[in-house]
Each structure stands twice: as structure tokens, then as C-alpha cells.
Amino acid sequence: DEALGKADKLDAKTSRERDYLVAMAAFYGGSEKRDYQSRADAYTKAMQQMYEKYPDDREAAAFYALSLLASEPDSDTTFTHRKQAAAVLEKLFQVEPDHPGVAHYLIHSYDSPQMAQLGLPAARRYAKLAPAAPHALHMPSHIFARLGLWQDDIDSNLASIAATRKTVAMHMGGEGHQFHAMHYLVYAYLQSGRESEAKHVLDDIKGMPPMKDMYGMGFDPRAAALSELSGIYALELHHWSEAASLPLVPGASAVDNDAVYWARAIGAAKGGNIAEAQKDLKAIQAIRKKLLSEKKKDFAEVAQDDYREASAWLAHAQGKDDQAVREMRALAEKQESVAAEPMSVPAREMLADMLLEMKRPEQALAEYQADLKNNPNRFNGLYGAARASEMTGNTAKANDYYSQLLKVCAGSESDRPELAHAKQLLAEK
């Protein structure tokens, strides 16, 4: 309000300038009791009027598209706002392919399994537009990860981390930006058989000092990254005992601790330690209640989903297979409906793993195939599909999936038994 008041006193000289101020007031002005969604909707409506009133104003068009993304309703399964934004941005991209905002917003528009392929031109372009900007270098990996383009993903995030550290060395701050890139980097390494390099990133994070509060949101990004990535690393590699014994990270928030208890509960359940899994699940529920009491609804929902996923594995460990399948399937459908980020093991893949353990290879194969459409080239997805095909006697299909897995991991020095098994079977063809 204070900034808007100062802007009003400047006496805007053109109707266009005045309309921009009106749009800003639509979001920042009015009662303090207005919630975010109502503010975002009002701003989008104002920017739409700008877009229609000034058709030659490319910045108005770009900001209108961005407002559509910002006002997308929570848990929207239709992606209507993203599609509308993309329609505006694609026209701009044709005439201004070097506009960093346009490429950036297009990547956000297409950041879902259903539309990721459409975002590849913008991703490749954006990777070259701002070589000194850490976030700009990272953003293309949102599309690369969706499409299973692991080397592109790796290159994007290595460049982003290097740019972050360069700005820090120049005393420009922003060291917290590297952790999101590290998350994507570890994920890509694990999918392409480069687990030793993923471990190196984890060791790098462990050796860093605690970070200052980032974005004023009250958390240490280093503690968050270490909490999340330690669990993901152990679960992706099926190191169940390691997952079950993960320590809490000093200085971590309740949300970060939830990630640790989630991995611990799954690791314990997979290892047959029912009591420990139950103990970890109780810890997740306590965290969820705490987050709800603090009115952190979104974080509480994450904790609830983690609880559901881990409890499904516990149910399976207890022989309650129908309950386990029902719960994991529901969670998979939820993840897919909102295009959850590809940063952890998908619930659909977990469902397939579960069915394979239950000796239901035909059902497992159907789930692996469904998940690989949304999460192509995932290591465990390809291997699971191959194993399920092998168990059904479809050697040709099994060999095809094993071949895809070896191609994804080409050049790696991994000693994972899955790769040894794939190589052995293909050598016997």
C-alpha cells in the first residue's frame, strides 16, 4: 500500500502507466483480510484487461500469462490456467525467442507430464539465455526431468550450482539457490546409474555450514536438502536398513523431519521392522498436527501424504495387501492429477513394486508402464517393467526394457545388481 501510494503521487502521464498501477492495486490494495487467491484472481482480471487494451505491449502479455500461472487454483487437475498462459506465451516466443521471461514462464506452463514435451523448445532456449543467472540455468531441468533427459538435466543443474557459487564468491549472496538444483541433480544421477556422483553431492551438503534463513520463510535450505535427499538416496537404491536408521538433521524444521520419518518408516516396513515403522508413522502424525496448529495447511497435507505412503508399505508388511494396494493407488492418482514434481519415487512406481512383491507381475507391469508414461527413463521403473515382463514369460519385452535401462545408464560405472542382471540376460540372447 505504501509503494502504491508513492506511485499515485508520481502522477502517471499515460493511461497505460495508470492501468499498470490499477493492476498492482488489484493485488496489493484493499482489505488485509483478503486471501491470496482472491488477490491473485483480481490481479489476473486486471492484467487480462491490460493485455486486451494494449495488444502491442509484449510485457503486458508476458505479465498476464504469469498472472494466470500465479492464480492457478490449488489442486487444479485441468491445467486450464497453464494452457491459457502457454497460448499467450507461444505467440510471444515466436517474435521474441530471446526474451528470458517468456521462456521462463513457458517452462512453468508446461511443467507437467501431460505437456512437458511442448516445453522442450523453451527449455533448450532458456538454457542459453542467461548464463550467469543460477535460477535461469536450473529452470530448463524442470522439463528435462519430466522427459527423462538425464544428461541435459545434469548439465543444467551443474551450471546452476556453479553460477550460484560464483555469485557467492563475489559477495552477492544467494547461496541458498544451489540446493534446489542439487535436488534435481541427485535425482538425475540416481536415474542414470551415477549413484557415486549423487553420494558426492550429499557429502558436499553435509560439509557445508548451516545457511541463513532463505526468502524470509524461516528455514535452513541446507538442512531441508540434507533431510530430503538422504532419504531419497537410500530409497532409490533400496538400501532399506540405511533408510530406516537415518538421523534427524540438526537445525531442521518440522517439515524436514517429516521427510526423514517418511524414509525411515518405509525402510523399516520394507525391512520387516513393524514396531519401528509404527513409531515413525506416529512421529509423522505428530508433525502433521503441529503444522495444522500453525495453520500451515499445505505442509500438513504433504505430511499426510507421506503418512499414507509409508502406512501402505506397513500394511503390505503386515500382510494387508488389499489395503496397501488401495491406499497406494489412491495416492498415485492424486500425485498424477496435480502433476507432482519429479523429485522422488512416484507412488505409481511404488504400487508396481508392491504388486511385483505380491507375485502379481501382470498387474505390476501395467502399473510400471503407466508410470513410465509420466516419468520416463526412471531406473527402477525400467528395471521393474523388465522384471515383470520376465516373470510373465515375455522375454522380448523384458529384453527391450533391459536394453532401455542400459542405454539410460550408458557410460556409468555403477555396480548396481540390477544392471549386472540386465547385462547378463541380454548377453544370453
Side-chain angles (χ1 to χ4, degrees), residues 153-164:
D153 190 349
I154 289 165
D155 292 342
S156 178
N157 288 295
L158 285 174
S160 177
I161 293 166
T164 296

PDB file of all heavy atoms in Angstrom, residues 153-164:
ATOM      1  N   ASP A 153      19.502 -32.703 -17.897  1.00  0.00           N
ATOM      2  CA  ASP A 153      19.124 -32.340 -16.530  1.00  0.00           C
ATOM      3  C   ASP A 153      20.381 -32.089 -15.693  1.00  0.00           C
ATOM      4  O   ASP A 153      20.504 -31.076 -14.985  1.00  0.00           O
ATOM      5  CB  ASP A 153      18.299 -33.495 -15.943  1.00  0.00           C
ATOM      6  CG  ASP A 153      17.624 -33.167 -14.624  1.00  0.00           C
ATOM      7  OD1 ASP A 153      17.931 -32.117 -14.032  1.00  0.00           O
ATOM      8  OD2 ASP A 153      16.782 -33.972 -14.186  1.00  0.00           O
ATOM      9  N   ILE A 154      21.325 -32.998 -15.768  1.00  0.00           N
ATOM     10  CA  ILE A 154      22.573 -32.889 -15.014  1.00  0.00           C
ATOM     11  C   ILE A 154      23.347 -31.639 -15.422  1.00  0.00           C
ATOM     12  O   ILE A 154      23.795 -30.861 -14.575  1.00  0.00           O
ATOM     13  CB  ILE A 154      23.426 -34.159 -15.224  1.00  0.00           C
ATOM     14  CG1 ILE A 154      22.775 -35.349 -14.492  1.00  0.00           C
ATOM     15  CG2 ILE A 154      24.863 -33.949 -14.736  1.00  0.00           C
ATOM     16  CD1 ILE A 154      23.314 -36.702 -14.916  1.00  0.00           C
ATOM     17  N   ASP A 155      23.493 -31.428 -16.719  1.00  0.00           N
ATOM     18  CA  ASP A 155      24.242 -30.264 -17.209  1.00  0.00           C
ATOM     19  C   ASP A 155      23.612 -28.963 -16.733  1.00  0.00           C
ATOM     20  O   ASP A 155      24.308 -28.023 -16.332  1.00  0.00           O
ATOM     21  CB  ASP A 155      24.301 -30.277 -18.742  1.00  0.00           C
ATOM     22  CG  ASP A 155      25.138 -31.423 -19.300  1.00  0.00           C
ATOM     23  OD1 ASP A 155      25.940 -32.004 -18.531  1.00  0.00           O
ATOM     24  OD2 ASP A 155      24.977 -31.741 -20.490  1.00  0.00           O
ATOM     25  N   SER A 156      22.294 -28.902 -16.781  1.00  0.00           N
ATOM     26  CA  SER A 156      21.566 -27.702 -16.381  1.00  0.00           C
ATOM     27  C   SER A 156      21.834 -27.361 -14.920  1.00  0.00           C
ATOM     28  O   SER A 156      22.125 -26.203 -14.561  1.00  0.00           O
ATOM     29  CB  SER A 156      20.070 -27.914 -16.613  1.00  0.00           C
ATOM     30  OG  SER A 156      19.316 -26.799 -16.203  1.00  0.00           O
ATOM     31  N   ASN A 157      21.785 -28.361 -14.059  1.00  0.00           N
ATOM     32  CA  ASN A 157      21.926 -28.100 -12.631  1.00  0.00           C
ATOM     33  C   ASN A 157      23.373 -27.928 -12.190  1.00  0.00           C
ATOM     34  O   ASN A 157      23.644 -27.175 -11.253  1.00  0.00           O
ATOM     35  CB  ASN A 157      21.212 -29.196 -11.845  1.00  0.00           C
ATOM     36  CG  ASN A 157      19.712 -29.057 -11.954  1.00  0.00           C
ATOM     37  OD1 ASN A 157      19.139 -28.086 -11.483  1.00  0.00           O
ATOM     38  ND2 ASN A 157      19.063 -30.008 -12.613  1.00  0.00           N
ATOM     39  N   LEU A 158      24.298 -28.589 -12.859  1.00  0.00           N
ATOM     40  CA  LEU A 158      25.716 -28.323 -12.581  1.00  0.00           C
ATOM     41  C   LEU A 158      26.050 -26.867 -12.906  1.00  0.00           C
ATOM     42  O   LEU A 158      26.763 -26.199 -12.157  1.00  0.00           O
ATOM     43  CB  LEU A 158      26.606 -29.263 -13.390  1.00  0.00           C
ATOM     44  CG  LEU A 158      26.698 -30.712 -12.901  1.00  0.00           C
ATOM     45  CD1 LEU A 158      27.511 -31.552 -13.890  1.00  0.00           C
ATOM     46  CD2 LEU A 158      27.326 -30.788 -11.512  1.00  0.00           C
ATOM     47  N   ALA A 159      25.508 -26.383 -14.026  1.00  0.00           N
ATOM     48  CA  ALA A 159      25.743 -24.985 -14.415  1.00  0.00           C
ATOM     49  C   ALA A 159      25.109 -24.034 -13.411  1.00  0.00           C
ATOM     50  O   ALA A 159      25.688 -23.000 -13.056  1.00  0.00           O
ATOM     51  CB  ALA A 159      25.185 -24.736 -15.813  1.00  0.00           C
ATOM     52  N   SER A 160      23.919 -24.382 -12.927  1.00  0.00           N
ATOM     53  CA  SER A 160      23.234 -23.534 -11.962  1.00  0.00           C
ATOM     54  C   SER A 160      24.008 -23.453 -10.653  1.00  0.00           C
ATOM     55  O   SER A 160      24.180 -22.373 -10.080  1.00  0.00           O
ATOM     56  CB  SER A 160      21.825 -24.086 -11.701  1.00  0.00           C
ATOM     57  OG  SER A 160      21.168 -23.331 -10.712  1.00  0.00           O
ATOM     58  N   ILE A 161      24.490 -24.594 -10.176  1.00  0.00           N
ATOM     59  CA  ILE A 161      25.257 -24.619  -8.929  1.00  0.00           C
ATOM     60  C   ILE A 161      26.547 -23.819  -9.075  1.00  0.00           C
ATOM     61  O   ILE A 161      26.928 -23.045  -8.179  1.00  0.00           O
ATOM     62  CB  ILE A 161      25.554 -26.074  -8.522  1.00  0.00           C
ATOM     63  CG1 ILE A 161      24.245 -26.785  -8.158  1.00  0.00           C
ATOM     64  CG2 ILE A 161      26.531 -26.124  -7.343  1.00  0.00           C
ATOM     65  CD1 ILE A 161      24.372 -28.298  -8.078  1.00  0.00           C
ATOM     66  N   ALA A 162      27.220 -23.974 -10.206  1.00  0.00           N
ATOM     67  CA  ALA A 162      28.461 -23.227 -10.448  1.00  0.00           C
ATOM     68  C   ALA A 162      28.199 -21.734 -10.473  1.00  0.00           C
ATOM     69  O   ALA A 162      28.976 -20.934  -9.922  1.00  0.00           O
ATOM     70  CB  ALA A 162      29.095 -23.683 -11.762  1.00  0.00           C
ATOM     71  N   ALA A 163      27.094 -21.322 -11.093  1.00  0.00           N
ATOM     72  CA  ALA A 163      26.753 -19.897 -11.158  1.00  0.00           C
ATOM     73  C   ALA A 163      26.432 -19.359  -9.764  1.00  0.00           C
ATOM     74  O   ALA A 163      26.807 -18.229  -9.428  1.00  0.00           O
ATOM     75  CB  ALA A 163      25.566 -19.687 -12.093  1.00  0.00           C
ATOM     76  N   THR A 164      25.734 -20.165  -8.962  1.00  0.00           N
ATOM     77  CA  THR A 164      25.433 -19.746  -7.586  1.00  0.00           C
ATOM     78  C   THR A 164      26.715 -19.502  -6.807  1.00  0.00           C
ATOM     79  O   THR A 164      26.873 -18.480  -6.123  1.00  0.00           O
ATOM     80  CB  THR A 164      24.598 -20.816  -6.862  1.00  0.00           C
ATOM     81  OG1 THR A 164      23.338 -20.949  -7.524  1.00  0.00           O
ATOM     82  CG2 THR A 164      24.351 -20.428  -5.412  1.00  0.00           C
TER      83      THR A 164
END
